[in-house]
Amino acid sequence: AQSVTQPDIHITVSEGASLELRCNYSYGATPYLFWYVQSPGQGLQLLLKYFSGDTLVQGIKGFEAEFKRSQSSFNLRKPSVHWSDAAEYFCAVEAAGNKLTFGGGTRVLVKP
Amino acid sequence: DAGVTQSPTHLIKTRGQHVTLRCSPISGHKSVSWYQQVLGQGPQFIFQYYEKEERGRGNFPDRFSARQFPNYSSELNVNALLLGDSALYLCASSLVEGAETQYFGPGTRLLVL
């Protein structure tokens, strides 16, 4: 069965600093990978996705992620964080059909 | 275009009661999935429907059921509510099933007392 691990429960970063969120997955086949962001009390917004092709994926709000098959990782990065990036971030892998398996999430706090 | 809509936004029930949650997908989307998100955790897959047929079910008890209507909207039903059913219930839609981006609604927050 597929699984997703986000090792960092909380990350605090200063505004303007870079951000990297880790995601490791376990899945037998070629994975479809996603990063979603959730602001307090809100639903999930898709940041980016990887289906195939170029392993460096660009998303919205200046985010990018890199798929590394050898490390079973799909880490999310942003070069310069804005206060509005404070939220919870979820990595997910798609199994058969539309079933998404999510990690436990990483809460990002942004210091002024 | 309107995104995925869910109703109600909030709901308070007592143990043993029944609840129905509703979801309208993005226009043209034929697949609807339901997820449960307990506070502090990632969402967990409950059901997926495509063209009115159940195509996937997560590890949830039979108290949970769902259906999809001809207009592709969907209902999630939970019987005999338990305190542990308190969660944010998210609906997601996609054009078709498989390797498709899912778009999430704002969720229904259910509190069971």
Side-chain angles (χ1 to χ4, degrees), chain A residues 32 34 36 38 41-46 49 51 88 90 94-105, chain B residues 31 33 35 37 40-43 45 48 88 90 94 96-107 109:
Chain A
Y32 299 127
F34 304 82
Y36 284 89
Q38 185 176 39
Q42 305 283 316
L44 299 171
Q45 181 182 22
L46 179 71
K49 60 189 178 186
F51 285 173
E88 186 143 27
F90 292 95
E94 180 177 317
N98 280 62
K99 177 186 175 182
L100 286 172
T101 299
F102 287 87
Chain B
S31 177
S33 298
Y35 292 82
Q37 185 179 19
Q41 298 181 17
F45 173 76
Q48 188 233 336
L88 181 67
L90 295 163
S94 61
V96 293
E97 61 175 346
E100 279 286 335
T101 300
Q102 293 187 54
Y103 296 90
F104 283 80
R109 187 162 297 282

Side-chain angles (χ1 to χ4, degrees), chain A residues 49-83:
Chain A
K49 60 189 178 186
Y50 172 78
F51 285 173
S52 64
D54 193 346
T55 56
L56 186 61
V57 180
Q58 301 298 319
I60 62 171
K61 302 185 179 186
F63 285 93
E64 67 178 25
E66 186 171 12
F67 170 58
K68 293 185 177 180
R69 185 186 300 274
S70 61
Q71 298 177 20
S72 297
S73 69
F74 188 55
N75 294 348
L76 182 72
R77 297 192 294 254
K78 184 169 184 177
S80 177
V81 168
H82 187 261
W83 63 266

Side-chain angles (χ1 to χ4, degrees), chain A residues 9-32:
Chain A
I9 298 175
H10 293 99
I11 285 183
T12 300
V13 61
S14 297
E15 192 167 14
S18 64
L19 174 68
E20 181 167 11
L21 305 182
R22 296 184 290 164
C23 172
N24 293 99
Y25 68 90
S26 172
Y27 186 56
T30 300
Y32 299 127

